[in-house]
Amino acid sequence: MRARTPLLALAVLLVATACSSGKDASQNRDGQTGFVSGSGRVSTFAPDKREKAPDFKGTTLDGKQWDFADQTGKIVVLNVWGSWCPPCRKEAPDLTAAAKELGSDVQFIGLNTRDLDKAPPLKFVQEFGVPFPSIYDPNGKQLLRFRGQKISATSIPSTLVIDKQGRVAARVLGAVTKDTLIGMVKDAG
């Protein structure tokens, strides 16, 4: 019976660790909460099925004020990201390329979340040459405005395309590619 006890304890330990996602997957070592990266599948919404995007605004990483209400009549691309998020790093070159290709007709805005210090997201923006501003939202207050609508506070990265009437036209939960994003914007117009 005594020989079984260590084996049973080992089996329980192996099962417990196999079922956990591990510290790296569920939380960052800096105390950040985890994320659930989506599949990258695009969801589009017919004009008569589009929901109004919530009002959101805030201070950007460079200290300027940004307000969704000021974007009336423009297509807006909202990208939720964090410097700590590997899929965000993967999609950054595509977002940057799409923003440059689409130009000033489309307003890109980032929503940086869960970075408790501005230094890492500022480095991220510089490293990837991100040409558009990002609202600094360390506690997720602005992100929570979208709860129950099109994105979850745990779906990072997420990208919304908001049409000229301020309605959500398309969504990607997970990393987005340049070509996919450009197609989403064209379909929203």
Side-chain angles (χ1 to χ4, degrees):
M1 189 78 161
R2 287 193 170 174
R4 287 186 178 174
T5 303
L7 289 175
L8 183 59
L10 179 61
V12 168
L13 180 63
L14 288 173
V15 168
T17 57
C19 293
S20 79
S21 58
K23 186 169 184 171
D24 289 336
S26 65
Q27 70 185 41
N28 181 300
R29 295 190 192 281
D30 295 327
Q32 304 290 344
T33 55
F35 66 95
V36 177
S37 184
S39 65
R41 193 178 83 204
V42 177
S43 298
T44 57
F45 308 99
D48 62 333
K49 302 286 187 207
R50 294 177 183 174
E51 295 179 24
K52 191 91 170 136
D55 289 330
F56 63 99
K57 59 185 170 186
T59 304
T60 62
L61 287 168
D62 60 359
K64 297 178 181 166
Q65 292 300 309
W66 193 93
D67 193 335
F68 177 61
D70 296 337
Q71 309 308 313
T72 304
K74 282 190 171 184
I75 291 178
V76 175
V77 173
L78 169 70
N79 177 254
V80 181
W81 66 281
S83 66
W84 45 267
C85 160
C88 299
R89 299 183 74 73
K90 179 183 175 193
E91 77 174 356
D94 283 295
L95 280 165
T96 297
K100 288 178 180 176
E101 187 169 320
L102 291 166
S104 62
D105 292 339
V106 177
Q107 174 63 57
F108 277 70
I109 184 69
L111 185 60
N112 170 255
T113 190
R114 298 191 206 146
D115 275 305
L116 302 180
D117 177 3
K118 281 188 179 181
L122 285 169
K123 184 178 179 184
F124 180 102
V125 166
Q126 181 182 19
E127 181 181 336
F128 290 104
V130 178
F132 53 87
S134 283
I135 295 171
Y136 181 58
D137 189 33
N139 59 10
K141 198 173 185 181
Q142 294 301 315
L143 179 57
L144 287 176
R145 292 180 181 272
F146 292 89
R147 183 180 46 207
Q149 284 202 339
K150 303 295 177 200
I151 55 178
S152 159
T154 59
S155 296
I156 299 168
S158 295
T159 303
L160 295 181
V161 174
I162 303 168
D163 68 17
K164 293 178 181 183
Q165 291 75 38
R167 303 170 303 173
V168 177
R171 164 192 73 200
V172 174
L173 300 179
V176 67
T177 65
K178 175 188 138 191
D179 292 336
T180 297
L181 185 53
I182 289 173
M184 291 167 57
V185 168
K186 289 181 179 177
D187 289 345

